[in-house]
């Protein structure tokens, strides 16, 4: 158990397990939610259904005000009628299995660099973005910025990761 500082909502969110913390990190990185439901949401079908109830792992609202509830795969397969009704009222259902464990681990690692202490002066950050636009390897990017700015390699590398978290740099394609 612990607390995760959700920068997009500017508040701490309690979590009950490492899995839930990793999901909070992933949601913050992928969605930048404006609101988190850190307590599980229980969905109980009405008397019209023979389906069992289901309990979400996490819920969040994004910037467009879309409500998404995250469930484990067995809950979704046991309650297709219930989840179809949720979709009918505008609630998006996301299976936890759609996020690979390796992705959760990578996001958890990258989250260590989200703090403002890794933000550098604007000219160095601009150099990073300029060189990154040439689609070079991260190691070559860092070497170019160190040479051009005179900064330290560890400091520049931490800033690359921080800009990756803040989506100021993107690392897409086979060259990175």
């Amino acid at each position: 158990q612990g607390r995760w500082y959700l920068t997009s909502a500017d508040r701490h969110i309690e979590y009950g397990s490492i899995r839930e913390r990793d999901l909070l990190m992933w949601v913050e990185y992928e969605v930048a939610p404006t609101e988190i439901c850190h307590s599980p949401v229980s969905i109980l079908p009405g008397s019209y259904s023979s389906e069992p109830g289901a309990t979400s792992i996490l819920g969040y609202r994004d910037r467009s005000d879309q409500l998404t509830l995250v469930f484990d795969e067995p809950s979704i397969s046991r309650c297709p009628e219930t989840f179809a009704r949720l979709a009918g009222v505008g609630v998006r259902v996301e299976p936890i299995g759609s996020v690979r464990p390796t992705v959760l681990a990578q996001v958890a690692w990258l989250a260590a660099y989200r703090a403002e202490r890794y933000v550098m002066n604007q000219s160095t950050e601009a150099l990073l973005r300029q060189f990154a636009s040439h689609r070079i390897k991260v190691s070559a990017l860092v070497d170019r910025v160190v040479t051009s700015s005179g900064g330290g390699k560890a400091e520049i590398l931490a800033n690359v990761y921080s800009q990756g978290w803040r989506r100021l740099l993107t690392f897409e394609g086979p060259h990175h």
Side-chain angles (χ1 to χ4, degrees):
Q1 289 187 333
R3 292 166 32 120
W4 174 257
Y5 181 72
L6 191 67
T7 56
S8 57
D10 194 28
R11 67 185 182 104
H12 283 90
I13 305 292
E14 293 181 16
Y15 59 85
S17 68
I18 296 300
R19 179 182 185 199
E20 189 177 339
R21 183 210 58 198
D22 289 352
L23 283 172
L24 284 169
M25 287 180 201
W26 174 78
V27 166
E28 180 174 13
Y29 181 71
E30 284 295 321
V31 181
T34 57
E35 198 175 329
I36 288 280
C37 176
H38 59 87
S39 298
V41 174
S42 293
I43 307 296
L44 303 172
S47 58
Y48 60 85
S49 176
S50 62
E51 291 180 349
T55 302
S56 71
I57 297 168
L58 184 70
Y60 60 89
R61 283 194 189 277
D62 63 21
R63 294 186 196 282
S64 70
D65 207 34
Q66 170 67 54
L67 173 61
T68 300
L69 296 175
V70 180
F71 289 87
D72 62 6
E73 299 279 351
S75 293
I76 293 173
S77 61
R78 283 192 314 261
C79 307
E81 194 177 298
T82 301
F83 289 116
R85 287 181 186 272
L86 283 173
V89 294
V91 176
R92 186 170 161 259
V93 173
E94 172 130 4
I96 185 57
S98 66
V99 184
R100 294 187 322 271
T102 54
V103 171
L104 288 176
Q106 290 165 345
V107 169
W109 177 83
L110 187 60
Y113 293 95
R114 69 194 180 111
E116 291 295 317
R117 68 179 174 265
Y118 296 108
V119 175
M120 301 179 70
N121 65 54
Q122 289 180 347
S123 62
T124 304
E125 289 204 4
L127 273 175
L128 280 170
R129 287 191 289 281
Q130 174 191 343
F131 292 142
S133 69
H134 299 294
R135 299 185 54 81
I136 60 176
K137 291 184 178 182
V138 172
S139 57
L141 167 67
V142 171
D143 289 342
R144 278 188 173 179
V145 174
V146 166
T147 302
S148 298
S149 71
K153 191 170 188 170
E155 181 183 23
I156 301 292
L157 192 56
N159 186 263
V160 167
Y161 300 144
S162 177
Q163 287 200 48
W165 178 269
R166 293 178 285 137
R167 301 295 176 116
L168 297 174
L169 285 178
T170 56
F171 305 100
E172 297 175 4
H175 297 97
H176 298 287

